[in-house]
Amino acid sequence: MKLRTNFFILLYTSVLMYFCASSSPLLNIMFNDSSVFIAMGRGMAAGKIMYKELFDHKGLYLYFVNYLAVLIGGNSQIGLFIVEIAFMFLSAKFIYASFLLYADEKVSWLGMQIIMLFASARLTFGGGNFAEEFALTFQFASIYILLKYLNGEKAEHKASYMFIHGVNAGIAFFLRANLIMMWGGIAILIGYDLLKEKNFAGFRQNLVAGLLGLLAGSAPVIIYVIVTNSVSDAIFGMFTYNLIYTKQGQNLFIRIFDTIFNLKQVIIISAIVISSFIIRKNKNRTAYFTLLTLSVLCISVSGRHYGHYYLYVVPMIMPAALQLASLMYRRFQMKHAIVMIFAMSIACGTRYPDYIREILGRRVVHFNEYVLHNEKYYSPDEKVLCTGAGAELYNRLGVIPSQKYFYIPSNRYENFPDPVDAQAESIISGVNDIIITTPNVYPETGRTAEINEVLEKNYILLYHDERRNIDMYGRK
């Protein structure tokens, strides 16, 4: 790909991320999930062992990404912003290269813009720093390789290609385990082609290459958990807990139905339906519907339908995007088409800074007050426990969480009481310098009276956040 084209793709994705990514200097917002991942990355940079000393339930690579962001930008979000630009740039490159297999440069550019519109939209991107965002790059890389194979009149599939698929699958798996499903479709497609041609030698070579790639993609995680002696903790965090987290008792077909008929995502679902009609007479239809089926299954298994889950099916709108790009190229001047798609991307993806959110009546936390009242307590070893304001306060205060369960994962107490019990015990022990909590915290533990006694005896109220009904206590 030409250097000039790469420069413009980088410029385009950088500007798009400046308006759409919560980590951008324009916004500097930390939403709940992203705050947790940032805190995990900062903890890793400080020598904390993931899952054993700090708990969360995503894959280790997500914390590696946030660790890299800390190495680049320190405690600010600029490092994360740079990392997110890099991932989006690579995604855009693979999208553009994929479209070049079917169209000229101008149509491919417009098609890339359309895909990026969906990838950066508020309803799917959600401000960024999700496992699905980073997995998207590896999805588009594998789809590009698959399309090269399919467009080559199905010449024998190179084992080296399957090795790359394996690496991508291993990385996606350790971003979030269910994200590996799309690669199951790729393995099925290639394996079927090779067996149909009775190319058993090629099948064996691809199988071995794919497994070696999977091992290579997984190796950093495996090495990390062995070296840190956190194998059982990591297995629980990445896999066992997620079985608890997944909605129990709901039929899988109902979950899939809810995914397909989610009215909040009607635009991207409609684009997928249009793509399905476009591709139905195409020679690549079997590959498309195989990947689509497994991708929908991927985002349905948890029983939840958060917007960022739908990032995983963004590649499935590629047929519609290319068709729309071709239509726009014929109907409009190129520069007008570029501006129109860019304007729509900004309109659909831009997050609002806190001062605008407050004007619109959205919930805003005034972190300056917390930081101000924390100043006399601040030290590199300061112990802070946030039970009522999410993980963002650890990052805003510039402290590393000292508790394994530094936030409460979204689950019912009876299913997973450990975090709540651990935080209640931490408050009662009196080890914390700062406690940020809601009144009458943790009634389900039966220890509210003990908690209130410790707060009254050993701490003073530093600040009361009226909007969120949160109290900030400091040790006397």
Side-chain angles (χ1 to χ4, degrees), residues 307-466:
H308 59 272
Y309 286 9
Y310 287 80
L311 277 176
Y312 196 72
V313 294
V314 166
M316 299 299 106
I317 70 170
M318 290 178 73
L322 188 60
Q323 191 86 350
L324 179 58
S326 179
L327 178 63
M328 292 186 72
Y329 179 65
R330 292 196 302 268
R331 294 288 182 89
F332 303 101
Q333 292 185 27
M334 184 66 181
K335 60 182 179 181
H336 293 160
I338 290 174
V339 170
M340 279 191 290
I341 300 172
F342 176 71
M344 288 183 63
S345 299
I346 298 302
C348 294
T350 300
R351 313 294 305 191
Y352 302 114
D354 278 350
Y355 67 89
I356 295 180
R357 288 167 58 85
E358 191 165 20
I359 292 172
L360 296 174
R362 304 293 295 275
R363 188 176 66 182
V364 174
V365 181
H366 296 283
F367 294 103
N368 289 340
E369 291 293 333
Y370 291 93
V371 174
L372 178 65
H373 287 94
N374 184 63
E375 285 181 352
K376 67 178 181 179
Y377 292 89
Y378 181 78
S379 76
D381 300 319
E382 181 187 1
K383 290 182 172 58
V384 175
L385 178 65
C386 299
T387 73
E392 183 171 357
L393 273 169
Y394 295 104
N395 304 320
R396 297 298 187 184
L397 295 177
V399 299
I400 304 298
S402 58
Q403 304 289 326
K404 176 178 180 178
Y405 296 109
F406 62 99
Y407 82 106
I408 304 300
S410 177
N411 216 314
R412 299 174 64 182
Y413 177 77
E414 56 267 32
N415 290 338
F416 189 47
D418 295 17
V420 174
D421 289 339
Q423 287 200 358
E425 181 60 38
S426 176
I427 295 173
I428 292 168
S429 71
V431 300
N432 299 289
D433 300 304
I434 295 289
I435 297 173
I436 301 169
T437 188
T438 55
N440 300 317
V441 66
Y442 301 143
E444 60 267 59
T445 66
R447 307 188 73 179
T448 301
E450 292 178 79
I451 291 172
N452 289 337
E453 182 180 351
V454 169
L455 292 175
E456 183 177 348
K457 181 179 179 181
N458 299 330
Y459 293 85
I460 58 173
L461 180 63
L462 299 174
Y463 172 61
H464 175 67
D465 187 338
E466 292 184 2

Side-chain angles (χ1 to χ4, degrees), residues 163-179:
F163 178 81
I164 297 172
H165 288 313
V167 171
N168 291 340
I171 294 171
F173 183 72
F174 283 110
L175 278 166
R176 182 172 177 165
N178 59 313
L179 299 183

